[in-house]
Amino acid sequence: MTSESQFEDRLAEGLRATSSSPDVEWSTDRVVADAMGRSRQASNKWALPLVAIAFATAAVLVIALIQTTPPPGSESGEGLKPAGATVAGKDYLVSFARSLQVDPSQITPFAPVESTTEAAFMGELVAYSLDGVNPSVALVVPAAEGAADQGGSIGDYVLLVRGNGAFAALCDYFDPASPATPDVCRR
Amino acid sequence: MESIAIAADQSLDGRLAQIRARDSRAFRELVELLDGDLLRLCILIAADSELARDAVQETWTRLWTRPPKLRNPARLRSWLLSVAANEVRQSMRRARLAGAHAPIEPPASPQASSAEVIDLRNALARLNHSDRELLALKYLFGMDSPEISIHLGASAANVRTRLHRIITRLRKELRDDE
């Protein structure tokens, strides 16, 4: 055994000892009860405010709809805010990329989606980094089951992108033959 | 090198589906299997056992409340480790902002009483939390560089370089302490 591997063995042993803390090692029963209890508390705690928010939102939407419904034949969609999401304190644009081809083994949980205008399209509010892609440039979020817009199914993932050139960093994940692939990745 | 034994990820295959179906027994079994691992990782990152416990508890609550839809359920263990690490980093950030986090002082434990372990603890305390996370993934969980690179979202080459740098530094510091 080399001195290097001996050192690594000692290091592993030391790390195990250092990371052991019996005073905070709860029993399984306590961990489970606490997790389930907190989830119940959370649902009770938010029930009333959520109902209130739902009513308020519905009222605002109705008023907004009345005031902003365009006359027949006019262009709709102008002035809409861009779809966005905030992850790890950074703002991303939300994009649907139907020709994105991502294998689950190529993604790693990165951080929770702190806020987004497009939660309805997201299956979980967790952003994942893609192998070989700087997470400051692009992330993906698993799409909600059956999520679709006017163009049909949005695919398996919602894309979060930042800055110019974000799509160029994703070319390995796009099918170059697909008409839905960004121009920069077409060959 | 001996690493802490972790059940093969394949054994977690059906567990996520059971938890999504609100199977509390499956949830309990998973906690029993992995709570200690998550706690060790968080203790090494935060060097604060209370923050670590809270982060791990948040992770379990989140799994029960909002189980992820992983395309590959065998990645559940990796997901849990990532979420726990992320939770404890956020707790550290909040504690620092609140001015409540004391300088890093890894927790004492009955097992951590030998001079060698105390020296190691002090050397670890001088590393930053991401370096301690890297060491935990490598030496506590026995992950290789490609696995760690997937976990951290870095390249395998970057992981190898960082590990080499950390080990060199630790060897030097621990030799210097002798």
Side-chain angles (χ1 to χ4, degrees), chain B residues 112-123:
Chain B
S113 55
S114 77
E116 195 175 46
V117 170
I118 291 169
D119 286 345
L120 173 63
R121 208 170 67 196
N122 291 336

Side-chain angles (χ1 to χ4, degrees), chain B residues 6-22:
Chain B
I6 304 282
D9 278 0
Q10 296 308 321
S11 71
L12 303 179
D13 254 3
R15 208 64 65 103
L16 184 55
Q18 290 172 311
I19 289 169
R20 292 184 71 80
R22 316 301 286 167

Side-chain angles (χ1 to χ4, degrees), chain A residues 100-122:
Chain A
L100 195 70
Q101 295 179 329
V102 177
D103 184 87
S105 65
Q106 296 171 303
I107 62 172
T108 308
F110 179 71
V113 176
E114 291 156 17
S115 64
T116 179
T117 57
E118 307 302 315
F121 290 100
M122 296 177 181

Side-chain angles (χ1 to χ4, degrees), chain A residues 3-5 7-36 38-39 42 104-112 114 123-126 128-131 133 135 141-145 155-157, chain B residues 1-4 22 24 27-28 31-32 35 39-40 43-44 49-50 53-54 57-58 60-62 64-66 68-72 75 78-79 82 86 90 106-112 116-117 120-121 124 135-136 138-140 150-153 167 170-171 174 178:
Chain A
S3 68
E4 189 166 339
S5 65
F7 177 78
E8 288 184 311
D9 281 348
R10 277 171 41 222
L11 178 58
E13 200 177 314
L15 285 170
R16 279 195 289 275
T18 302
S19 62
S20 167
S21 186
D23 54 323
V24 292
E25 285 171 16
W26 288 2
S27 71
T28 303
D29 287 337
R30 185 176 172 190
V31 174
V32 170
D34 190 88
M36 292 180 172
R38 279 206 233 176
S39 73
S105 65
Q106 296 171 303
I107 62 172
T108 308
F110 179 71
E114 291 156 17
E124 57 176 296
L125 291 178
V126 177
Y128 291 72
S129 60
L130 288 153
D131 288 358
V133 178
V141 177
E145 272 178 18
D156 291 337
Y157 294 93
Chain B
M1 180 188 60
E2 185 196 348
S3 61
I4 286 175
R22 316 301 286 167
S24 56
F27 180 60
R28 190 186 188 289
V31 170
E32 198 159 25
D35 187 65
L39 196 54
R40 282 183 200 93
I43 286 175
L44 273 180
S49 53
E50 296 294 334
R53 179 69 266 172
D54 286 348
Q57 202 55 45
E58 281 300 325
W60 289 123
T61 303
R62 183 159 156 206
W64 181 249
T65 315
R66 287 183 293 145
K69 287 198 313 179
L70 302 179
R71 308 285 165 185
N72 179 1
R75 286 180 60 104
S78 177
W79 182 86
S82 294
N86 196 42
Q90 287 185 354
S109 78
Q111 294 173 48
E116 195 175 46
V117 170
L120 173 63
R121 208 170 67 196
L124 288 174
L135 286 176
K138 168 81 177 169
Y139 294 104
L140 280 184
I150 291 169
H151 185 89
L152 296 179
I167 294 297
L170 281 178
R171 289 191 77 159
L174 293 174
E178 279 171 7

